[in-house]
Amino acid sequence: MPVDVTLSVAYDTLTHQSKALRDIEQFSNKAQRHFDKLGLGHISSDFSQFQRSLQAATSRVAAFGLTAGILFTVKQAFGALIKETIAVEKSLQDINVILNLNDKNLSKFGSNLFKIARDTGQSFKNIAGAATELSRQGLGVSETLKRTADAAILSRLANIDLLDSVESLTAGINSFSDSVLTSTDLVNKFARVDAAFAVSSRDFAEAIKRVGSTAQDAGLSIDELIGLVTSLQQTTARGGAIIGNSLKTILTKVQTGTVLEQLERLGVTVRDFNKEFLPTLKILENIGTQFDNLGRSEQAKVAQLVGNLYQINQVRALDRDLGMGGGSIAAKESNMAGEGGNQAITRNIEL
């Protein structure tokens, strides 16, 4: 209801209420003056008139209360609208300090952010915060919008905070920039494997934040890393954060020259025919293949060399899976992650 109409209704209600009170007062005075002259029958008739007046006054008071409630609600709505408008303008100006857009382009940018918020079930405040973080990375307008949308989808699918989603995508893209990985590719890889194995997009996001750069240094592709995370999560169910830290330790130690030499003395193949060290993932596969052929004490030593006291369970789980070669969970998942498709986009539309 428009404010001017509401105020008019309130004014009319107050007018009717005052008239009703005057009617009651006049009737009471009349009843008092004639009480002694009237019989009980007459009193009964006049009392009916009094009751009708009282009911009319009550109705007017109720209408006034309802109108007052509407006015209060309208006031609250206008107050909330003003606060939200200020918040939106501030968010856009924070972003524009970095992007330096003109008024027309800034308005268009804001409209795109609203669309992302609507399509991914996020609040504008959270979407604007993610866009601000991404714009600080030196991205252009189109790439900022694209990554914001992908981060919002990952946040929704993985049930993680939007800024955590931004950090995970940033870590994955920066770590595997050589493979020309886009944020959309990464989210779709997570969604494909999430649907097929006992691992979630949240596990991938948490793990990549911790081990992404180490995996890149070790020569692993993003698909191979996702395969290792899937293997450990399905076997140990320890969660992405713990698995990410464990893999960081394992991959770091397997690249150490002294560790490789000790593994070689224990019978693990770590070099090719040219006496050059094999790729890290191949060494891990050789450890898995040859692990069961080692004695118990040698197995314990290998586990300590590759991990440490806290990662032994993860090392053993990884060895057992990688020892299966192409039939391992890691290998199957790695192949699945490399397939095409838009699973994440489709799932977000369904949600």
Side-chain angles (χ1 to χ4, degrees):
M1 180 183 295
V3 175
D4 56 347
V5 175
T6 303
L7 291 174
S8 176
V9 172
Y11 176 78
D12 291 343
T13 302
L14 287 172
T15 302
H16 291 313
Q17 182 188 30
S18 299
K19 182 178 183 304
L21 292 175
R22 287 197 302 271
D23 291 344
I24 293 172
E25 183 179 7
Q26 289 174 2
F27 177 76
S28 298
N29 292 334
K30 180 180 178 182
Q32 184 66 39
R33 287 195 304 268
H34 296 285
F35 181 81
D36 294 333
K37 299 179 181 181
L38 298 174
L40 292 178
H42 291 93
I43 293 175
S44 176
S45 175
D46 287 345
F47 183 78
S48 297
Q49 181 182 347
F50 171 77
Q51 189 176 28
R52 288 195 296 272
S53 298
L54 184 62
Q55 289 173 346
T58 302
S59 298
R60 292 187 179 103
V61 171
F64 172 75
L66 179 61
T67 303
I70 293 173
L71 285 172
F72 181 71
T73 302
V74 170
K75 178 184 176 183
Q76 283 186 317
F78 272 112
L81 176 61
I82 292 171
K83 288 181 180 178
E84 282 299 315
T85 301
I86 293 173
V88 167
E89 290 297 324
K90 182 181 183 304
S91 298
L92 290 177
Q93 290 303 324
D94 288 343
I95 296 172
N96 203 36
V97 168
I98 303 168
L99 296 179
N100 195 27
L101 303 173
N102 59 37
D103 290 343
K104 180 180 179 181
N105 289 333
L106 182 61
S107 177
K108 184 178 180 181
F109 183 83
S111 297
N112 285 324
L113 290 184
F114 273 111
K115 184 178 185 302
I116 292 171
R118 181 194 64 196
D119 292 345
T120 60
Q122 300 278 350
S123 69
F124 180 83
K125 179 181 178 181
N126 289 340
I127 290 294
T132 302
E133 289 299 315
L134 289 166
S135 63
R136 289 188 181 126
Q137 298 177 18
L139 303 175
V141 173
S142 60
E143 188 62 23
T144 296
L145 289 171
K146 182 171 178 290
R147 289 200 192 181
T148 300
D150 290 333
I153 291 174
L154 177 58
S155 172
R156 193 179 199 182
L157 298 183
N159 193 26
I160 60 176
D161 182 79
L162 184 52
L163 291 182
D164 286 340
S165 178
V166 169
E167 291 177 2
S168 299
L169 287 182
T170 300
I173 293 169
N174 291 344
S175 298
F176 297 94
S177 57
D178 292 344
S179 58
V180 198
L181 188 68
T182 68
S183 55
T184 305
D185 291 335
L186 191 56
V187 175
N188 281 325
K189 288 178 185 295
F190 290 170
R192 275 196 296 277
V193 181
D194 184 329
F197 292 89
V199 61
S200 69
S201 297
R202 183 190 188 98
D203 294 319
F204 295 134
E206 294 292 340
I208 283 181
K209 281 197 297 185
R210 292 161 174 80
V211 71
S213 60
T214 304
Q216 169 75 356
D217 293 340
L220 269 67
S221 68
I222 182 63
D223 295 337
E224 290 169 339
L225 176 58
I226 292 176
L228 295 180
V229 172
T230 304
S231 172
L232 286 175
Q233 174 60 18
Q234 186 145 317
T235 305
T236 68
R238 296 303 302 275
I242 293 176
I243 288 172
N245 287 328
S246 296
L247 282 174
K248 184 176 181 179
T249 299
I250 293 169
L251 294 176
T252 299
K253 299 192 81 170
V254 171
Q255 296 177 79
T256 305
T258 54
V259 171
L260 291 173
E261 291 172 358
Q262 293 183 66
L263 287 174
E264 191 171 31
R265 285 197 291 269
L266 289 169
V268 177
T269 303
V270 298
R271 300 176 190 270
D272 59 20
F273 293 111
N274 297 320
K275 302 300 181 183
E276 298 291 336
F277 286 122
L278 295 167
T280 302
L281 184 59
K282 183 61 179 176
I283 292 173
L284 289 173
E285 290 175 352
N286 289 342
I287 293 173
T289 301
Q290 297 169 243
F291 194 82
D292 289 336
N293 298 327
L294 302 175
R296 183 168 298 179
S297 61
E298 292 174 325
Q299 289 178 346
K301 190 169 184 178
V302 167
Q304 289 183 344
L305 283 171
V306 176
N308 57 37
L309 182 62
Y310 302 103
Q311 271 82 41
I312 287 179
N313 289 337
Q314 281 75 22
V315 172
R316 295 295 299 272
L318 199 59
D319 288 341
R320 283 193 291 268
D321 184 51
L322 292 177
M324 299 172 64
S328 68
I329 294 173
K332 292 177 181 178
E333 189 286 326
S334 180
N335 292 331
M336 179 175 291
E339 297 173 356
N342 288 310
Q343 283 83 347
I345 309 301
T346 302
R347 287 175 61 184
N348 180 66
I349 292 173
E350 291 172 353
L351 289 172

